[in-house]
Amino acid sequence: MFNLILFGPPGSGKGTQSEKLTTKYGLKHLSTGDLLRSEIAQHTALGLEAKKIMDKGHLVPDEVVIGMICTALETYPDTKGFLFDGFPRTDKQAEALDKLLELKKTTISVMVALTVSEEELVKRLAKRGETSGRSDDTNEGVIRARIAEYNSKTAAVADYYKSFDKVVMVKGEGSVEEIFNALCKEIDSRII
Ligand code: AP5
Ligand code: MG
């Protein structure tokens, strides 16, 4: 299996690039943000609780997202590999993911981290908030809270994978196509 983590702050382009990468490499896209929004859309108890936290721009509890990933890994036993988008976001999630993959006799092949300036992130998310209906995009305070959560709890997850020499950084500014090509170059050099 080839398992990829597409890493980066809110608005760095994880979702945009995930769609293109999963099509090209035949990977299963697992986005914890999308899974949570699907729970919200279905008005489940988990969704209702998660929405309160997401609307503040905070992270939902580790157990919740780890449980969702555990279920998703079991749902697609025959995939060529997974693309994790927005997960893991804490050291605890990273360690849990390692254990889950180990049980499946596989591991993370590479983490590709998108780098984008904070002002560009805010600009992108505020613009999307005008039309997307995503409640965590509509208020600049919440956008900045999401970025602050990333800086205080998530950015360090890259250090965990750096210690296994699994991290590559890719500039996430420029056209979608330019960034996609840069990502593919890094992935192709690691895929064999
Ligand atoms: P999640 O859904 O993961 O959102 P996020 O990480 O905050 O970021 P986005 O999805 O908004 O951005 P993205 O990097 O995917 O960029 P995109 O391609 O959309 O999480 C939402 C919430 O759920 C969290 O705040 C948390 O509460 C909870 N959550 C999720 N996972 C969790 C976890 N593991 N643990 C705990 N809590 C969790 O692009 C953004 C915009 O920019 C789009 O409009 C796009 O069109 C545009 N854009 C993309 N590329 C470019 C480009 N190259 N140039 C210009 N614009 C571009
Ligand atoms: Mg996303």
Side-chain angles (χ1 to χ4, degrees):
M1 280 176 104
F2 185 82
N3 300 305
L4 170 80
I5 297 172
L6 188 55
F7 193 70
S12 56
K14 301 183 297 294
T16 304
Q17 298 294 338
S18 288
E19 270 186 38
K20 295 170 74 67
L21 291 171
T22 48
T23 303
K24 173 161 177 171
Y25 294 103
L27 304 175
K28 179 68 200 162
H29 183 200
L30 292 186
S31 155
T32 38
D34 288 349
L35 292 169
L36 288 165
R37 281 184 289 278
S38 154
E39 296 281 339
I40 293 171
Q42 294 170 63
H43 305 287
T44 64
L46 189 158
L48 282 173
E49 279 311 303
K51 183 170 173 17
K52 289 183 209 156
I53 300 169
M54 291 163 77
D55 282 352
K56 291 190 193 123
H58 297 160
L59 295 184
V60 306
D62 288 331
E63 311 78 76
V64 173
V65 285
I66 292 167
M68 289 192 318
I69 287 290
C70 184
T71 306
L73 291 180
E74 293 311 314
T75 308
Y76 306 100
D78 299 325
T79 183
K80 282 164 71 178
F82 293 98
L83 187 161
F84 297 96
D85 159 4
F87 181 90
R89 261 168 145 108
T90 62
D91 285 342
K92 199 169 162 200
Q93 292 178 24
E95 284 158 21
L97 179 60
D98 267 3
K99 290 208 182 89
L100 289 171
L101 292 177
E102 205 178 304
L103 287 173
K104 297 177 80 66
K105 308 222 178 313
T106 183
T107 185
I108 291 298
S109 311
V110 63
M111 167 187 270
V112 192
L114 292 167
T115 58
V116 177
S117 74
E118 179 159 339
E119 282 328 293
E120 172 70 11
L121 298 173
V122 174
K123 205 169 82 187
R124 287 183 189 178
L125 294 175
K127 183 164 175 248
R128 184 174 64 186
E130 291 167 11
T131 52
S132 68
R134 252 183 79 164
S135 52
D136 57 349
D137 281 347
T138 46
N139 171 314
E140 187 174 326
V142 175
I143 292 174
R144 292 206 183 263
R146 286 158 64 194
I147 296 170
E149 282 282 85
Y150 174 83
N151 289 330
S152 66
K153 297 181 183 158
T154 303
V157 173
D159 297 335
Y160 174 82
Y161 291 97
K162 267 183 204 156
S163 68
F164 302 105
D165 197 22
K166 288 185 176 179
V167 181
V168 288
M169 314 288 275
V170 169
K171 190 164 168 261
E173 293 185 47
S175 74
V176 168
E177 211 52 42
E178 276 165 3
I179 299 162
F180 178 62
N181 289 336
L183 290 170
C184 292
K185 203 171 144 210
E186 294 296 346
I187 293 167
D188 289 343
S189 73
R190 300 236 178 183
I191 210 158
I192 308 149

